[in-house]
RNA sequence: GCCCAGGUGGUGGAACUGGUAGACACGCAGGACUUAAAAUCCUGUUCCCCUUAAAGGAGUGCGGGUUCGAUUCCCGCCCUGGGCACCA
């Protein structure tokens, strides 16, 4: 008779103990080295935590516990990214204040997180919708508004330094990001300007500035829609038409930081894939900007090209349909066609436009003048040229660009070869290889030389210049929504003015309706009392989701600090995040914005580090396993999956919780919804078999698996280890609860090693372990240490299983073996190890004990059973001393009967001996 | 369409820098224990051929290549997932 492993009692007991004893409280002052582990904080959705969320959290929890046991002072906080669209949509539907639903959801999330045994210090929790938090989000925005980017010093500086420069020396006295848009002026000009005029100029330089951007406007709903609320040109809800509309918006001048965002990637410990995605997002390309005159007018337009060498191959020009010049240059005959085409494009998203295989476009009737040949080339408009990239206009070279080529073929435009690639077999259009032909002054040059020559030539002619272009755009910072941070801005005479920092936070006011106003303004615009102040009219847009998440990692360092966004000393101690774990879905947006904000604050001297996240690890997405039933059209009869071929059926998602494998519990299905109460079934072999598909885990697909259910059935330690056991942390996989029994069995076998009696007393042996037992222990210690370091948590779990199986087989209950095993397992299974730590006779928390390190002396081997290959195929195995030299090995191997058999009548060509690995005999 | 990642038994996966493919689990099959079931334990389990076994052949999405040796490196393709700027 012995005591069984009772996980629910153990987990409750220690969860309470940790809370009462402040086991995970973290201090900002410590002699220990610091280590900051961070998870991407969740959006607290109404569906609660599903089993996909904790994957990354478990990994970071294991890592943080490991680091703590290794002697570090570890910060591992958690909070909530609480502003956002779903809460607002729910408010519109249900009339419940987003603050109420958000608070409820956070409570649910926290309960779920605590049950999983995470070592968060909840005193450090941050919520982006908390006024004490967004006070500082607003403050940072105001600092961005109050600064410009000085390209000479490569730093953000207060806007007064720019004003001073203008006052003293006019526009040439300063080189600020954004200045390309501003016409030159002298110091006298500046001083003669009115305040409004001066502010207008300064707006071009501010790091947070007002401009215009196109948004998804839905007339019928009277609101701006998010991209994923638009499906195929119509609103997802209601199916109303959506079109692109220009609106005044706040922007952040992220492009000012483009080069630093690019260069500083080199020093980060991120995956190459992640760095590559950031590089591609920034999209730096070197080329030239060239001005083309429009024939028979005094108008001209600018194109950006990475291939100025191909200018003699230009046979037409393409403007983006939204380009300002389109209306001005279109001829009377082409007017109708062009307008028709423009309205067609208006209803299409950039993505649709890029994916379109069909060639479309319209001729404007206007011609550009080729700057070198003087020939007239036709100007077209087409959706494949986007207004947001480069100048929204291209010079088209059909001989050397695939998209230009299909366009030319479709519209029957001539194609002129300009590059002879015969010297470079296999080179494609996009390779910058070949010798120039039909290209005037460039004839005979290699492409790289021709690029330089072409830039020189356009510069000499005064029609262009070498230029670096970025795909990165300034970030749109306005949302016409309610549930976000209000802008601390008032307008006087259409000119924005910052609120004083004493007026922060500008709290989000109560509204009676969360519905859009219909005019394109957000719900705040309806609050006329709030909007109109003695100092001016308030901005009624709110900030985007990424505002709060761009700096939250700093707030965790000193969440209660109320005179600064982060306490100076705390920031100097914690510096930046040592390990950041989160999904690839944030690969560019969130990570790029956070990096930009950090650099801005670094420039201003408010933080000590130029990068926020030193090491980044991406966790894969856990997908749902959806189950389907098939309803016979127009009936309430459901056909089992194997028989649907005989019927006309509609597939419907069914709740995975009443399907076992693929077999559905038909009684539970009938009870699920009133409409199914009288459902009938066409069964196969007496069972209803469901269809299945792997999809995103979501409430609407009824495939959400709640961790609470798993914890109730198997315990949190088991769920933690099972999620890690599923596979490598960075790979996505469908959730399948089948298989969890293996981990559950392991935990029970580990528990049974301690031989508890009916009084709960462990029965351990204090004898000295055997060499075999020490080898099992130290092999496991070595592997677990190495695998945690490289985030190989799945193989750690396997190692624990192997060790437990081996110790069970040896009936080993020795304290000297089991005690270090408990410490080793502690980061993975924090509850049961805390209990077992007492069983081996310790009194403190296992989570503050030392992590075991291995001793190589227990692992030495002196011989190895070598696989013997004959011509690359393993034919036998021979045990040979590891320190044997090649001649001795060859003698042993060639004397072996099986080897002789295989090499009989053949000549030995090569004897490959890789010590410790393999032996290969090559003979023919 | 563009960028990034992945594809290994019935299933999840292992194989760390080119060196025994399938560790560890799930599932399945057979057996032990039991009045029975559950639980537990033991044995087997890539496929094919032959089968009592041994031995052999094939095999890491597909087609080529480099190498004594390729899941790993190179070239071309197919499929799946993530992102593409207002979901978070």
């Amino acid at each position: 008779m012995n005591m069984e492993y009772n996980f629910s009692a153990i987990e409750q007991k220690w969860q309470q103990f940790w809370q009462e004893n402040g086991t995970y409280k973290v201090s900002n002052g410590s002699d220990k080295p610091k280590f900051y582990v961070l998870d991407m904080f969740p959006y607290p959705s109404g569906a609660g935590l599903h089993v996909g969320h904790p994957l990354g959290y478990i990994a970071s929890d294991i890592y943080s516990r490991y680091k703590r046991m290794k002697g570090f002072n570890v910060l591992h906080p958690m909070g909530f990214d609480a502003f956002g669209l779903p809460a607002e949509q729910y408010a519109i539907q249900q009339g419940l204040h987003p603050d109420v639903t958000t608070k409820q959801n956070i409570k649910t999330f926290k309960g779920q997180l605590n049950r999983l045994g995470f070592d968060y210090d909840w005193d450090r929790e941050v919520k982006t919708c908390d006024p004490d938090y967004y006070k500082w989000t607003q403050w940072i925005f105001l600092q961005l508004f109050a600064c410009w980017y000085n390209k000479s010093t490569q730093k953000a500086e207060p806007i007064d330094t720019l004003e001073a420069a203008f006052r003293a020396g006019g526009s040439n006295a300063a080189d600020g990001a954004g200045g390309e848009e501003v016409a030159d002026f002298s110091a006298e000009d500046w001083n003669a300007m009115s305040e409004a005029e001066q502010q207008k100029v300064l707006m071009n330089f501010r790091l947070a500035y007002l401009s215009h951007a196109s948004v998804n406007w839905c007339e019928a709903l009277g609101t701006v829609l998010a991209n994923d609320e638009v499906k195929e040109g119509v609103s997802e809800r209601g199916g109303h038409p959506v079109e692109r509309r220009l609106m005044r918006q706040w922007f952040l001048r992220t492009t000012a930081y483009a080069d630093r965002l690019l260069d500083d990637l080199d020093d980060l410990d991120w995956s190459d894939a992640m760095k590559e995605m950031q590089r591609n997002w920034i999209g730096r390309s070197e080329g030239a900007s060239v001005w083309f005159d429009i024939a028979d007018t005094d108008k001209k337009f600018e194109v950006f090209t990475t291939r100025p060498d191909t200018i003699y191959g230009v046979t037409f020009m393409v403007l983006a349909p939204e380009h300002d010049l389109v209306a001005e240059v279109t001829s009377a005959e082409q007017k109708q066609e062009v307008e028709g085409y423009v309205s067609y494009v208006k209803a299409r998203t950039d993505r649709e436009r890029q994916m379109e295989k069909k060639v479309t476009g319209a001729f404007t009737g206007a011609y550009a003048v080729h700057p070198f040949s003087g020939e007239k080339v036709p100007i077209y408009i087409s959706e494949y040229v986007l207004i947001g990239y480069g100048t929204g206009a291209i010079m088209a070279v059909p001989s050397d660009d695939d998209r230009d080529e299909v366009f030319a073929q479709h519209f029957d435009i001539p194609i002129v070869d300009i590059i002879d690639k015969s010297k470079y077999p296999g080179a494609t259009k996009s390779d910058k290889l070949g010798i120039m032909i039909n290209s005037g002054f460039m004839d005979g040059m290699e492409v790289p030389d021709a690029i330089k020559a072409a830039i020189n030539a356009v510069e000499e002619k005064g029609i262009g210049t070498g230029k670096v272009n970025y795909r990165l755009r300034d970030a749109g910072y306005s949302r016409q929504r309610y549930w976000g941070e209000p802008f601390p801005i008032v307008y006087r005479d259409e000119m924005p003015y910052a609120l004083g920092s004493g007026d922060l936070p500008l709290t989000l006011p109560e509204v009676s309706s969360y519905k859009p106003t219909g005019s394109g303004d957000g719900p705040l615009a309806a609050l006329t009392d709030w909007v109109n102040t003695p100092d001016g009219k308030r901005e009624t847009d709110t900030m985007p989701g990424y505002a709060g998440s761009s700096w939250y990692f700093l707030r965790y360092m000193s969440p209660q600090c109320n005179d600064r966004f982060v306490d100076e000393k705390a920031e100097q101690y914690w510096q930046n995040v040592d390990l950041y774990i989160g999904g690839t879905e944030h690969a560019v947006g969130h990570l790029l914005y956070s990096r930009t904000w950090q650099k801005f604050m670094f420039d201003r001297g408010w933080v000590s580090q130029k990068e926020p996240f030193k090491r980044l690890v991406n966790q894969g997405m856990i997908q749902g396993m959806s189950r389907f039933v098939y309803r016979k059209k127009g009936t309430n009869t459901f056909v089992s999956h194997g028989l649907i071929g005989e019927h006309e059926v509609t597939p419907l998602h069914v709740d995975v919780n009443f399907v076992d494998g693929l077999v559905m519990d038909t009684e539970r299905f009938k009870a699920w919804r009133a409409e199914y109460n009288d459902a009938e079934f066409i069964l196969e072999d007496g069972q209803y078999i469901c269809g299945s598909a792997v999809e995103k885990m979501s409430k609407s697909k009824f495939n959400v698996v709640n961790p609470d259910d798993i914890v109730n059935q198997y315990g949190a330690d088991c769920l933690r280890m099972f999620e890690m056991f599923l596979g490598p942390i960075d790979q996505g996989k469908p959730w399948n609860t089948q298989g969890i029994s293996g981990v559950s069995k392991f935990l029970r076998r580990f528990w049974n090693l301690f031989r508890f009696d009916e009084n709960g007393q462990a029965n351990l042996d204090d004898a000295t372990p055997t060499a075999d037992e020490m080898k099992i222990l130290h092999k496991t210690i070595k592997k677990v240490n190495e695998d945690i370091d490289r985030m190989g948590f799945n193989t750690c779990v396997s190692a624990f299983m192997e060790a437990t199986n081996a110790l069970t087989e040896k009936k080993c209950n020795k304290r000297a073996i089991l005690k270090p095993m408990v410490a080793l397992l502690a980061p993975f299974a924090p509850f049961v190890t805390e209990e077992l730590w007492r069983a081996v006779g310790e009194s403190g928390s296992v989570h503050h004990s030392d992590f075991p390190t291995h001793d190589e002396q227990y692992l030495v081997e002196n011989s190895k059973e070598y696989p013997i290959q004959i011509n690359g195929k393993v034919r036998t195995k021979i045990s040979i001393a590891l320190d044997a030299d090649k001649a001795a090995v060859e003698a042993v191997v060639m004397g072996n009967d099986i080897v002789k058999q295989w090499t009989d009548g053949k000549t030995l060509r090569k004897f490959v001996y890789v010590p410790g690995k393999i032996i290969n005999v090559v003979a023919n």
Side-chain angles (χ1 to χ4, degrees):
Chain A
M1 183 59 200
N2 57 16
M3 199 178 79
E4 290 274 318
Y5 168 42
N6 181 347
F7 58 79
S8 54
I10 291 170
E11 292 181 2
Q12 262 171 35
K13 173 178 161 188
W14 294 111
Q15 196 178 310
Q16 198 180 344
F17 175 91
W18 293 333
Q19 203 174 351
E20 285 166 3
N21 289 273
T23 305
Y24 303 122
K25 289 282 162 275
V26 184
S27 148
N28 282 353
S30 168
D31 301 338
K32 295 178 189 169
K34 71 97 187 185
F35 200 89
Y36 187 176
V37 180
L38 183 67
D39 298 287
M40 289 184 184
F41 62 166
Y43 175 78
S45 81
L49 210 63
H50 64 65
V51 290
H53 284 104
L55 187 71
Y57 304 159
I58 296 166
S60 65
D61 194 64
I62 291 169
Y63 203 84
S64 69
R65 288 172 181 277
Y66 167 74
K67 277 291 187 184
R68 185 180 303 112
M69 291 174 78
K70 285 268 185 186
F72 290 84
N73 185 30
V74 177
L75 178 59
H76 182 219
M78 184 47 83
F80 299 95
D81 188 12
F83 276 132
L85 201 50
E88 181 158 337
Q89 281 173 343
Y90 193 74
I92 292 170
Q93 285 163 25
Q94 307 289 326
L96 278 169
H97 195 289
D99 193 49
V100 173
T101 53
T102 302
K103 282 199 173 116
Q104 277 169 2
N105 295 348
I106 288 177
K107 207 177 153 206
T108 309
F109 267 64
K110 272 176 86 167
Q112 290 179 299
L113 291 167
N114 279 331
R115 295 194 68 191
L116 292 171
F118 296 130
D119 63 355
Y120 306 132
D121 177 354
W122 282 115
D123 289 350
R124 291 175 182 265
E125 174 185 354
V126 305
K127 296 185 268 272
T128 55
C129 65
D130 184 342
D132 286 340
Y133 179 86
Y134 69 67
K135 169 183 177 180
W136 297 107
T137 308
Q138 292 173 333
W139 181 83
I140 296 166
F141 168 78
L142 287 184
Q143 303 313 310
L144 287 158
F145 178 63
C147 288
W148 64 296
Y149 195 83
N150 186 337
K151 290 207 265 185
S152 330
T153 57
Q154 282 292 308
K155 264 176 110 164
E157 293 178 11
I159 199 91
D160 359 326
T161 62
L162 184 65
E163 280 184 84
F166 287 164
R167 222 168 17 242
S171 56
N172 289 327
D175 188 12
E180 308 81 31
E181 313 292 326
V182 181
D184 284 356
F185 54 84
S186 66
E188 293 75 45
D189 294 339
W190 174 261
N191 293 321
M193 284 182 206
S194 68
E195 197 205 317
E197 284 169 327
Q198 288 182 342
Q199 287 299 327
K200 218 169 172 179
V201 171
L202 292 177
M203 187 59 85
N204 287 282
F205 294 90
R206 293 180 186 275
L207 286 173
Y209 66 95
L210 274 174
S211 182
H212 296 269
S214 73
V215 295
N216 300 310
W217 172 252
C218 180
E219 185 68 43
L221 296 173
T223 184
V224 174
L225 297 177
N227 283 339
D228 66 308
E229 296 177 293
V230 183
K231 294 271 139 77
E232 287 161 22
V234 296
S235 64
E236 195 175 33
R237 284 170 302 138
H240 306 293
V242 174
E243 63 167 46
R244 307 291 294 174
R245 188 198 230 196
L246 225 49
M247 235 178 212
R248 190 175 72 173
Q249 311 263 298
W250 283 96
F251 288 85
L252 301 188
R253 201 176 297 284
T254 33
T255 49
Y257 285 92
D259 278 321
R260 283 167 63 190
L261 289 168
L262 205 53
D263 295 344
D264 291 344
L265 279 174
D266 294 343
D267 302 324
L268 296 178
D269 184 9
W270 293 14
S271 70
D272 290 338
M274 196 58 45
K275 289 185 186 183
E276 196 58 22
M277 277 191 260
Q278 291 242 328
R279 286 193 190 103
N280 291 335
W281 184 260
I282 296 164
R284 183 190 147 99
S285 58
E286 289 178 23
S289 108
V290 184
W291 287 89
F292 281 75
D293 290 328
I294 297 173
D296 310 317
T297 70
D298 56 357
K299 294 185 172 63
K300 55 183 185 170
F301 63 98
E302 186 187 14
V303 304
F304 174 78
T305 174
T306 56
R307 299 295 303 275
D309 55 309
T310 62
I311 197 159
Y312 277 91
V314 171
T315 52
F316 61 102
M317 310 294 295
V318 187
L319 300 180
E322 308 82 331
H323 198 286
D324 288 342
L325 276 179
V326 173
E328 296 178 40
V329 303
T330 300
S331 67
E333 307 86 80
Q334 292 303 109
K335 194 163 183 248
Q336 202 184 345
E337 191 188 335
V338 165
E339 281 174 357
Y341 188 71
V342 168
S343 65
Y344 154 76
V345 172
K346 225 176 180 177
R348 289 167 68 80
T349 63
D350 283 2
R351 183 117 35 108
E352 286 168 332
R353 287 168 59 170
Q354 285 173 81
M355 272 194 291
E356 184 60 71
K357 281 188 186 139
K358 208 170 70 207
V359 179
T360 65
F363 176 46
T364 59
Y367 291 84
V369 182
H370 193 284
F372 291 99
S373 69
E375 279 174 33
K376 279 166 70 169
V377 290
I379 301 174
Y380 285 77
I381 60 171
S382 176
E383 62 178 343
Y384 82 96
V385 175
L386 303 177
I387 190 71
Y389 183 73
T391 59
I394 62 158
M395 54 178 231
V397 184
S399 60
D400 225 51
D401 179 285
D402 292 319
R403 300 211 65 166
D404 295 346
E405 184 182 23
V406 291
F407 193 90
Q409 284 163 347
H410 185 264
F411 285 95
D412 218 7
I413 301 168
I415 298 173
V416 179
D417 276 332
I418 40 154
I419 298 175
D420 175 9
K421 286 190 185 294
S422 55
K423 223 175 108 187
Y424 301 93
T428 64
K429 284 194 168 68
S430 54
D431 294 323
K432 293 175 184 173
L433 292 170
I435 293 168
M436 306 308 298
I437 50 172
N438 300 323
S439 290
F441 65 93
M442 287 179 282
D443 278 348
M445 289 183 189
E446 291 278 351
V447 167
D449 300 327
I451 292 176
K452 285 180 202 138
I455 293 173
N456 284 338
V458 294
E459 283 180 353
E460 266 169 38
K461 266 175 124 44
I463 54 161
T465 172
K467 193 179 170 184
V468 175
N469 190 50
Y470 299 92
R471 205 181 71 94
L472 182 72
R473 302 202 293 267
D474 283 344
Y477 199 71
S478 297
R479 301 291 182 267
Q480 292 71 42
R481 311 223 179 260
Y482 173 71
W483 192 230
E485 301 87 346
F487 280 85
I489 289 285
V490 289
Y491 293 91
R492 293 193 286 274
D493 299 328
E494 298 290 299
M495 194 53 67
Y497 292 90
L499 258 49
S501 41
D503 298 327
L504 301 183
L506 172 62
T507 53
L508 190 58
E510 297 283 330
V511 290
S512 52
S513 163
Y514 307 98
K515 290 201 174 96
T517 56
S519 59
D521 291 327
L524 292 178
L527 299 176
T528 43
D529 287 352
W530 181 80
V531 171
N532 296 300
T533 79
D535 297 325
K537 268 185 104 152
R538 290 194 195 279
E539 167 68 68
T540 58
D541 285 349
T542 53
M543 298 186 195
Y546 67 80
S549 61
S550 290
W551 72 282
Y552 74 110
F553 46 91
L554 292 167
R555 191 66 188 168
Y556 284 134
M557 297 172 181
S558 58
Q560 275 95 31
C561 181
N562 50 28
D563 56 355
R564 205 169 182 272
F565 65 101
V566 58
D567 177 77
E568 233 169 321
K569 279 209 186 102
E571 194 276 335
Q572 273 156 20
Y573 178 70
W574 293 110
Q575 298 182 28
N576 53 11
V577 176
D578 294 283
L579 174 66
Y580 196 21
I581 297 186
T584 35
E585 63 271 30
H586 303 284
V588 276
H590 160 63
L591 292 171
L592 204 81
Y593 297 133
S594 300
R595 293 181 65 216
T596 309
W597 286 43
Q598 179 82 10
K599 287 182 187 309
F600 167 67
M601 292 192 269
F602 176 75
D603 284 355
R604 303 297 302 119
W606 301 326
V607 295
S608 58
Q609 302 295 316
K610 62 179 182 177
E611 284 288 339
F613 316 119
K614 277 199 280 218
R615 182 178 180 194
L616 174 75
V617 170
N618 287 115
Q619 101 228 14
M621 184 179 276
I622 291 208
Q623 288 154 307
M625 220 24 144
S626 301
R627 292 290 181 265
F628 297 91
V629 291
Y630 301 90
R631 185 169 61 196
K632 224 171 136 178
K633 286 235 164 95
T635 70
N636 210 9
T637 300
F638 294 83
V639 186
S640 186
H641 182 251
L643 307 171
I644 53 176
E646 306 158 25
H647 307 271
E648 205 185 328
V649 293
T650 314
L652 299 165
H653 279 94
V654 61
D655 195 322
V656 292
N657 290 300
F658 38 83
V659 179
D660 179 19
L662 289 174
V663 182
M664 185 176 71
D665 183 333
T666 50
E667 290 309 308
R668 287 185 69 188
F669 177 74
K670 282 161 85 169
W672 187 29
R673 289 181 174 180
E675 52 179 311
Y676 300 143
N677 289 166
D678 58 349
E680 289 175 23
F681 304 94
I682 299 178
L683 305 175
E684 42 188 323
D685 302 329
Q687 294 181 319
Y688 190 94
I689 307 295
C690 294
S692 73
V694 173
E695 299 178 293
K696 232 176 187 167
M697 205 173 267
S698 90
K699 222 175 169 180
S700 64
K701 296 183 167 70
F702 302 109
N703 60 4
V704 173
V705 181
N706 186 331
D708 292 348
D709 297 338
I710 311 280
V711 171
N712 289 338
Q713 203 179 342
Y714 295 96
D717 283 333
C718 185
L719 175 63
R720 290 168 62 106
M721 292 195 79
F722 180 56
E723 292 220 10
M724 292 301 99
F725 190 56
L726 281 175
I729 191 76
D730 56 343
Q731 269 170 40
K733 50 227 139 198
W735 176 263
N736 188 351
T737 313
Q738 276 184 352
I740 196 168
S741 62
V743 177
S744 173
K745 228 184 279 180
F746 152 73
L747 284 168
R748 248 175 295 142
R749 298 185 89 192
F750 188 75
W751 174 268
N752 289 336
L753 289 173
F754 295 77
R755 306 198 195 164
F756 287 95
D757 63 23
E758 64 271 31
N759 302 317
Q761 192 61 43
N763 189 346
L764 300 180
D765 181 355
D766 281 307
T768 307
T770 64
D772 273 357
E773 289 166 343
M774 288 304 267
K775 194 169 167 183
I776 294 166
L777 172 66
H778 283 266
K779 217 173 107 183
T780 311
I781 293 174
K782 186 179 182 190
K783 181 154 179 64
V784 169
N785 271 278
E786 284 171 359
D787 288 0
I788 294 178
D789 280 330
R790 62 169 186 89
M791 301 269 145
F793 303 113
N794 53 332
T795 48
C796 289
V797 179
S798 302
F800 285 124
M801 287 173 169
E802 279 176 272
T804 303
N805 290 345
L807 294 173
T808 302
E809 197 178 336
K810 290 197 179 306
K811 301 191 168 41
C812 172
N813 64 331
K814 288 178 182 153
R815 194 185 307 269
I817 299 290
L818 296 184
K819 191 178 142 185
M821 282 298 293
V822 170
L824 200 62
L825 185 63
F828 295 83
F831 293 105
V832 70
T833 49
E834 194 77 304
E835 182 76 20
L836 292 171
W837 195 239
R838 302 306 186 282
V840 298
E842 291 293 327
S843 52
S845 170
V846 67
H847 304 297
H848 290 290
S849 68
D850 289 340
F851 201 72
T853 49
H854 79 282
D855 187 336
E856 203 67 37
Q857 65 159 308
Y858 299 111
L859 302 176
V860 274
E861 304 262 359
N862 33 39
S863 71
K864 170 169 174 81
E865 186 162 87
Y866 278 94
I868 311 296
Q869 296 184 332
I870 316 287
N871 293 329
K873 286 213 159 70
V874 179
R875 298 300 179 181
T876 188
K877 285 173 190 176
I878 305 174
S879 190
I880 300 171
L882 276 165
D883 55 1
D885 65 20
K886 192 174 176 182
V889 171
E890 186 165 343
V892 172
V893 170
M894 295 316 289
N896 179 278
D897 286 343
I898 296 170
V899 176
K900 277 184 184 160
Q901 212 180 324
W902 281 95
T903 52
D904 187 37
K906 293 177 178 167
T907 316
L908 181 65
R909 301 290 173 195
K910 196 169 183 178
F911 187 83
V912 181
Y913 169 51
V914 186
K917 294 280 185 191
I918 207 164
I919 292 160
N920 191 7
V921 179
V922 185
N924 60 12

